[in-house]
Amino acid sequence: MTFNPPSADEIGFDGSVISGSKIRRFVDIPDIFAMQIEPVEFIVPALGIAKNTITLWTGPDGDGKSYLAQAMSIAVARGESFLGMNTLKSPVLYLDFENPAHAIQDRLQSMTPHSVPDLRIWGIWNEQQPPMFGSELLLTICKDTKPLLIVDPFVYFHSAKENVSDEMGPVMQYLRACVRWGGAAIVLHHPSKSEGSTGRGSSAIRGACDLAFLHSLDKESSLITIKVDKNRNGESRTIILRADFEEGRFEVADAPYITKRNDELDKLAAIISTNQGLSQNSIYKQSGMRKARCVRLLQEGKGKRWLEKQDGRALTYWPIVPVVPGCSGNREQFRDGWSIVPPSLEGNKEQPPDQPNGKTLTQCQACKSFAVYPEKDGRVTCMTCDAVVIH
């Protein structure tokens, strides 16, 4: 089967459709410094898996690759934390070319007692077999749903000769077409028999991937080591996990990268909490981080650890404050419930939000917010700036 990828005139390297007039002269080439480029959006930050990317996940048979990938699938489909970091809630399509239905069902039920609506595992047990390389149906699903696509194992996804670059090139171009609408692809692969192998087959496989890591299991200690040795969107890292295969649980045993990233997120949250409404540039200057990293972290925490608001051409950031009991106004909904938006976000510091009983809330004299904690031990404190409102 042949696959004709989109032409260079239609698709950019980042997967986007190129619009406008064609480049005919040197001066027609867009200035990279002036381009408005969206920051990388991570689906699984702990592993560096982002939208519009292809990940090569290499490891021997029996080392728990599939088990860990399925645990990750559940977390992503639910938008839950995975390996200590929040995921971006996304549909997940898992193509299983190897395992029987009972084995997959037993494994998933050990990890969660409930069905996961946004997770679909398409296995060889179905009358209609999982789609392979060149499938128009799979391209349509990826375009309409933008899923995290997992191929397990990669060798059965195509009929090309893995050691021949001319045959593997179109396979990788097809996967690139699958992710260009905003999804991502992960291929579970096997190493060759040679020592130090980073994946079986042609270098065209690894070369076409944005992220590649090596997976190994110490069966005596049940410790999994994931070594990221290629990452176009970040640095290399090593993560060590403690696996409980009976319960389907994986815990981080050692991951300096995750610890550092969580510390940086805490630092940004503290800056936003004490200086609400700061612009992205102001936060970057206070953080002491590299600008690209700061912007990436601000995007990662948006909607989970802080609010992002458009103020003209600038983006401003605000803390997500707890719910005021009984308050019915000035609310925005997030995945984990309702949060009060400080009145200052709406340009109204003078008028308190209405309450069902007709009473008004106490105003903080420090920041003018009406979002305050109920009285406890003779004290009323401000949710926005932590100032003591009433002794």
Side-chain angles (χ1 to χ4, degrees), residues 126-201:
N126 288 305
E127 182 177 351
Q128 184 174 342
Q129 293 295 288
M132 296 173 60
F133 157 65
S135 166
E136 290 293 333
L137 172 59
L138 183 57
L139 283 175
T140 300
I141 292 173
C142 290
K143 181 179 180 180
D144 293 343
T145 312
K146 303 175 180 61
L148 174 61
L149 173 67
I150 302 175
V151 178
D152 182 11
F154 184 48
V155 65
Y156 298 137
F157 179 67
H158 59 86
S159 58
K161 296 177 182 177
E162 286 190 337
N163 290 318
V164 180
S165 295
D166 288 347
E167 294 196 21
M168 290 310 303
V171 177
M172 302 312 294
Q173 287 179 314
Y174 174 81
L175 283 174
R176 182 64 63 186
C178 286
V179 305
R180 72 185 179 94
W181 288 284
I186 300 173
V187 294
L188 274 60
H189 197 39
H190 299 124
S192 67
K193 295 181 179 179
S194 61
E195 186 175 349
S197 168
T198 57
R200 190 172 60 196

Side-chain angles (χ1 to χ4, degrees), residues 340-378:
I340 298 297
V341 179
S344 56
L345 284 180
E346 301 172 354
N348 182 2
K349 295 183 179 180
E350 305 301 326
Q351 188 65 34
D354 295 330
Q355 293 219 79
N357 57 13
K359 297 181 180 180
T360 57
L361 296 174
T362 303
Q363 184 178 25
C364 172
Q365 296 306 307
C367 69
K368 307 303 180 184
S369 170
F370 289 94
V372 296
Y373 289 104
E375 182 176 345
K376 183 178 180 181
D377 299 328

Side-chain angles (χ1 to χ4, degrees), residues 54-215:
I54 302 172
T55 298
L56 180 65
W57 187 334
T58 303
D61 279 331
D63 274 14
K65 293 191 309 297
S66 297
Y67 216 141
L68 184 58
Q70 287 155 8
M72 180 188 68
S73 299
I74 292 173
V76 171
R78 288 177 170 168
E80 297 175 343
S81 175
F82 180 69
L83 304 183
M85 300 183 71
N86 291 323
T87 62
L88 179 66
K89 188 177 187 303
S90 306
V92 180
L93 175 57
Y94 197 114
L95 303 181
D96 192 312
F97 292 95
E98 194 169 49
N99 298 291
H102 68 85
I104 297 301
Q105 187 179 73
D106 289 347
R107 181 180 294 176
L108 293 179
Q109 288 177 344
S110 72
M111 291 188 275
T112 176
H114 305 294
S115 176
V116 184
D118 285 329
L119 169 62
R120 288 291 185 272
I121 298 185
W122 193 342
I124 55 176
W125 54 83
N126 288 305
E127 182 177 351
Q128 184 174 342
Q129 293 295 288
M132 296 173 60
F133 157 65
S135 166
E136 290 293 333
L137 172 59
L138 183 57
L139 283 175
T140 300
I141 292 173
C142 290
K143 181 179 180 180
D144 293 343
T145 312
K146 303 175 180 61
L148 174 61
L149 173 67
I150 302 175
V151 178
D152 182 11
F154 184 48
V155 65
Y156 298 137
F157 179 67
H158 59 86
S159 58
K161 296 177 182 177
E162 286 190 337
N163 290 318
V164 180
S165 295
D166 288 347
E167 294 196 21
M168 290 310 303
V171 177
M172 302 312 294
Q173 287 179 314
Y174 174 81
L175 283 174
R176 182 64 63 186
C178 286
V179 305
R180 72 185 179 94
W181 288 284
I186 300 173
V187 294
L188 274 60
H189 197 39
H190 299 124
S192 67
K193 295 181 179 179
S194 61
E195 186 175 349
S197 168
T198 57
R200 190 172 60 196
S202 166
S203 60
I205 300 173
R206 180 181 170 85
C209 293
D210 305 282
L211 177 71
F213 47 82
L214 305 176
H215 175 120

Side-chain angles (χ1 to χ4, degrees), residues 46-47 68 81-85 226 239 241 250-252 258 262:
L47 295 178
L68 184 58
S81 175
F82 180 69
L83 304 183
M85 300 183 71
I226 296 178
I239 302 172
L241 309 176
F250 301 88
E251 297 179 350
V252 176
I258 294 177
N262 286 337

Side-chain angles (χ1 to χ4, degrees), residues 261-333:
R261 198 177 188 89
N262 286 337
D263 288 344
E264 289 174 331
L265 286 168
D266 290 340
K267 183 177 184 178
L268 293 180
I271 292 172
I272 293 168
S273 178
T274 55
N275 303 274
Q276 55 181 306
L278 282 179
S279 68
Q280 193 175 87
N281 200 46
S282 297
I283 294 172
Y284 146 66
K285 290 178 179 178
Q286 288 195 32
S287 70
M289 303 176 190
R290 289 184 292 109
K291 188 168 186 178
R293 186 171 184 83
C294 181
V295 170
R296 190 179 302 152
L297 290 169
L298 286 171
Q299 289 298 309
E300 183 181 322
K302 181 176 66 176
K304 301 182 181 79
R305 303 191 65 161
W306 44 73
L307 304 174
E308 181 183 86
K309 296 286 180 178
Q310 189 80 38
D311 185 5
R313 297 182 63 182
L315 292 174
T316 59
Y317 295 86
W318 305 80
I320 296 178
V321 297
V323 174
V324 177
C327 179
S328 61
N330 292 350
R331 300 196 298 176
E332 290 195 3
Q333 190 173 23

